[in-house]
Amino acid sequence: MAEEKRHHHHLFHHDKPPQEAYSGTTGYGDGDGYGAGATEKTGYGDGDGYGYGAGEKTGYGYGAGVAEKTEFVNETAEVDYEKEVKHHKHKEHLGELGAVAAGAFALHEKHKSKKDPENAHKHKIEEEIAAAVAVGSGGFAFHEHHEKKEAKEEEEESHGKKHHHLF
C-alpha cells in the first residue's frame, strides 16, 4: 500500500497532515543575533511583515512599526453612567423574573407531589431544586439592585453632587 491511512483518536485536527521532522536550523543564535544565520525567514524581525516586530514599516504583526506609530493619550475615559444604570436595572429585572418563575415552578411541583403519590419523591426533589434556583435568582436580583445603586451614586458624584452620610 503506497499510501497509508492514519487513524487518530484525537478530538481535533483530523485532516491535519503530520508535521515534518526538525530540520536543525532555527535562526536563533546561528550568528551574532536573532536570525543572523537563518536561511529562511522566521517572522521574528526579518522584515516579512508577519510575527512579532516583523517588518517595522509594513504595519503588520504584533509589534510592527510601534516606534513610529505609538501615541499616548492622557485623557480619562468618560464612563456612561446612565448606560451602566440601565444595564444593572435590566439584569435586576431578569433576576426578579427568574425568581418568580422558579418559585412558581416549585409550587407547581409541590402540588404535583401531592396529586401523584407514585412519583412524589421525584416531585419533591424538583420542588427543592426549583426553590434553590428561586433563592439564587433572588440573590442575583438583590446584588444587581445594589450595583445599580452604586452606579447611580457614582454618576451623582461625577456631576458634583455629594452625599454626606450622617449615619
Side-chain angles (χ1 to χ4, degrees):
M1 190 194 263
E3 256 184 73
E4 292 183 25
K5 287 205 169 210
R6 296 174 324 221
H7 185 69
H8 295 284
H9 293 284
H10 302 288
L11 293 174
F12 305 109
H13 307 294
H14 289 285
D15 298 327
K16 189 176 181 182
Q19 294 181 348
E20 295 298 321
Y22 175 69
S23 65
T25 58
T26 62
Y28 299 112
D30 293 339
D32 291 332
Y34 291 117
T39 57
E40 62 183 50
K41 292 187 175 196
T42 61
Y44 293 95
D46 54 15
D48 67 351
Y50 298 97
Y52 293 97
E56 292 186 19
K57 293 180 180 156
T58 61
Y60 296 105
Y62 294 101
V66 171
E68 299 168 6
K69 297 179 183 177
T70 303
E71 294 179 20
F72 294 100
V73 180
N74 290 330
E75 297 176 17
T76 58
E78 183 66 32
V79 180
D80 189 2
Y81 291 107
E82 186 176 320
K83 186 176 180 181
E84 190 175 342
V85 168
K86 235 181 178 180
H87 175 73
H88 289 298
K89 184 176 183 181
H90 178 72
K91 290 177 92 176
E92 179 186 356
H93 286 312
L94 286 177
E96 291 169 351
L97 179 66
V100 169
F105 186 72
L107 288 175
H108 173 72
E109 286 299 321
K110 185 174 187 175
H111 175 73
K112 273 190 168 184
S113 69
K114 290 179 181 177
K115 293 293 179 183
D116 186 10
E118 287 182 16
N119 297 314
H121 183 68
K122 176 188 148 197
H123 293 299
K124 280 280 188 191
I125 291 172
E126 289 181 355
E127 174 194 349
E128 289 175 11
I129 292 171
V133 170
V135 168
S137 194
F140 178 73
F142 186 70
H143 165 76
E144 286 299 324
H145 176 73
H146 284 282
E147 290 289 321
K148 181 180 72 172
K149 280 177 60 175
E150 284 180 13
K152 278 185 179 179
E153 288 173 5
E154 288 175 10
E155 179 182 19
E156 290 172 358
E157 287 174 10
S158 70
H159 292 302
K161 298 178 184 174
K162 295 183 182 177
H163 284 280
H164 298 288
H165 297 282
L166 301 174
F167 300 104

